[in-house]
Amino acid sequence: MGKFKVFLLGVPLALRLEGVNEYDRIKGYHLAFGEFDPTDGLKGQSFVVDWGDGTSTKVEFDLYVVWKKNRKERIYEAEVHSPIRVDGVARGEGYYDAWIIRITR
């Protein structure tokens, strides 16, 4: 795989090497990062994968909650929004699907 660095907000991001994930959508080993809470209201966050050869890949994401009033039950329900973009291209929402994306050079 070679050496590369990943930065979130200008700080090196801790990566973990993991096996099959709990959602069983990734076979074999993969890199994982972060433990984010949607109630922190993260918007416009990004990190950069520096491939070490002069190229890089930018990953941008939001993770926030919009509270919707359920008038029938008189409660508020959390609606989690989690769009993710790779090099400016939308890759869908991912909070409930572990933000599984393939990043290549």
Side-chain angles (χ1 to χ4, degrees):
M1 179 174 3
K3 292 184 178 184
F4 61 93
K5 296 178 182 177
V6 179
F7 298 90
L8 177 63
L9 302 174
V11 177
L13 185 62
L15 296 173
R16 302 182 301 275
L17 182 62
E18 297 182 349
V20 175
N21 74 338
E22 64 186 272
Y23 301 94
D24 199 31
R25 290 200 42 220
I26 299 178
K27 306 299 181 196
Y29 287 98
H30 62 279
L31 294 175
F33 70 92
E35 296 291 330
F36 301 109
D37 183 342
T39 61
D40 288 340
L42 301 173
K43 293 184 180 180
Q45 302 299 303
S46 66
F47 64 87
V48 175
V49 178
D50 179 345
W51 296 103
D53 63 359
T55 63
S56 62
T57 300
K58 183 176 183 179
V59 178
E60 302 167 280
F61 65 92
D62 300 331
L63 179 59
Y64 60 95
V65 173
V66 173
W67 293 96
K68 300 283 185 173
K69 187 172 185 177
N70 180 329
R71 294 183 190 276
K72 183 178 178 183
E73 297 181 30
R74 297 184 180 172
I75 60 172
Y76 284 88
E77 298 173 336
E79 183 177 282
V80 177
H81 294 269
S82 57
I84 189 164
R85 299 161 299 285
V86 177
D87 287 333
V89 177
R91 300 291 285 272
E93 300 255 341
Y95 180 69
Y96 293 111
D97 206 16
W99 270 344
I100 299 169
I101 58 172
R102 180 175 305 276
I103 300 173
T104 58
R105 268 192 250 195

